[in-house]
Amino acid sequence: YEHDGIQKIRVQNDGAYYNLEVSGSNKKSTTGTLSILGNLSIQSKLDVTANNDSIKLSGNWENTGIFDERNAWVILNGNNPQNIYSASSSPFYKLFFTGTGTKNLASAIAIDSTLKIDTVSTLDVSSNNYKITLKGNWINNGAFNPEKGTLLLDGNKKQFIGGANTTVFYNITLDNTSGTQITTNENLIGTLILTNGTFTNTGKKFTLLSDANGTARIAKIPNSANFAGTITMQRFLPLGDNGWRFL
């Protein structure tokens, strides 16, 4: 769809496109659930309309234009690896990773509501350590490879971190005056930075991991933030060294 005028993207008779490119100088609007078996390239503006039409994608997401997410789900369901590149000005609303193919970030991404990882899926922030900015809830029922990336929680209402599986995060930054609460045991490799709001782990384990590469930490907490609950802190001791160590 490359016309310079406004265009409506019709639903295919067989229910799906293979590859879909949205270009031209004006917006393209969905007319129903958009199913794409290959790649989606957004070079102009894609609007899911007030109907909040979901997008189901089996290939790569490449957004160098504008995505008007409204309140819609984007579902990445490929069984082969999928790459996600999103222009910084275009967040997702709800993002669901399913299918057995690893979902690899090719840029930082932002989600205005829920991020969910299905039981069969893996989300990898890649060796570039791309940031995930989340305003809603984190639900991990699958696997997450944090590399050395950061999860920024900056919503305007209380956010929950949970799911069926424990997530190992590298860095977490909380900048939400309504706070966040973990509903599943969670682990941290790097640093927890509390800028605004209370990080609550009542009834769950929040473990600061330690190995030969380093020990997780909580940065100095300002008056605008707090930590409520208990911490499980590991301390790595090298094999064969009988000297004393600070714990």
Side-chain angles (χ1 to χ4, degrees):
Y1 289 81
E2 60 180 2
H3 183 59
D4 285 338
I6 296 174
Q7 290 181 284
K8 292 184 177 181
I9 301 174
R10 67 182 181 88
V11 176
Q12 291 283 70
N13 291 334
D14 62 1
Y17 290 88
Y18 189 75
N19 292 322
L20 181 63
E21 178 183 303
V22 174
S23 58
S25 61
N26 220 316
K27 76 174 181 179
K28 321 301 175 186
S29 301
T30 57
T31 57
T33 296
L34 195 57
S35 295
I36 304 163
L37 301 178
N39 302 326
L40 172 62
S41 176
I42 304 171
Q43 300 173 23
S44 56
K45 181 176 182 179
L46 177 60
D47 183 2
V48 296
T49 77
N51 292 322
N52 300 313
D53 296 323
S54 60
I55 298 176
K56 298 178 180 180
L57 178 67
S58 298
N60 297 328
W61 174 283
E62 183 179 9
N63 175 20
T64 57
I66 298 172
F67 175 56
D68 190 344
E69 84 278 17
R70 300 198 184 236
N71 295 328
W73 280 98
V74 172
I75 301 166
L76 299 180
N77 58 10
N79 291 323
N80 292 310
Q82 294 180 265
N83 296 325
I84 304 104
Y85 178 87
S86 184
S88 60
S89 59
S90 293
F92 298 93
Y93 186 72
K94 294 179 180 178
L95 187 56
F96 181 34
F97 299 106
T98 186
T100 56
T102 298
K103 321 306 177 189
N104 300 296
L105 296 191
S107 72
I109 61 171
I111 304 100
D112 283 344
S113 182
T114 302
L115 183 151
K116 184 177 182 180
I117 306 171
D118 197 11
T119 54
V120 297
S121 289
T122 298
L123 172 60
D124 190 333
V125 303
S126 89
S127 59
N128 289 309
N129 307 316
Y130 289 117
K131 178 187 288 187
I132 299 173
T133 300
L134 181 65
K135 293 186 181 299
N137 299 329
W138 173 281
I139 303 171
N140 179 19
N141 297 325
F144 175 62
N145 185 355
E147 303 283 356
K148 293 184 178 180
T150 296
L151 173 66
L152 170 60
L153 302 168
D154 69 344
N156 53 24
K157 60 183 180 180
K158 191 171 185 177
Q159 296 175 258
F160 295 90
I161 301 174
N165 294 339
T166 295
T167 302
V168 178
F169 296 98
Y170 193 82
N171 296 322
I172 300 175
T173 298
L174 174 63
D175 189 7
N176 178 355
T177 56
S178 297
T180 190
Q181 180 171 352
I182 65 171
T183 59
T184 308
N185 296 337
E186 309 293 0
N187 296 335
L188 184 74
I189 299 173
T191 302
L192 173 64
I193 299 174
L194 303 178
T195 303
N196 287 294
T198 298
F199 189 102
T200 303
N201 73 322
T202 306
K204 300 297 178 182
K205 287 179 64 177
F206 184 69
T207 302
L208 303 181
L209 301 179
S210 181
D211 61 20
N213 296 313
T215 299
R217 59 186 285 270
I218 298 176
K220 183 178 179 180
I221 301 175
N223 292 335
S224 58
N226 194 15
F227 188 100
T230 58
I231 300 165
T232 300
M233 186 169 184
Q234 298 180 353
R235 189 66 170 94
F236 175 78
L237 297 176
L239 183 65
D241 188 342
N242 294 323
W244 58 273
R245 290 289 186 274
F246 287 113
L247 295 179

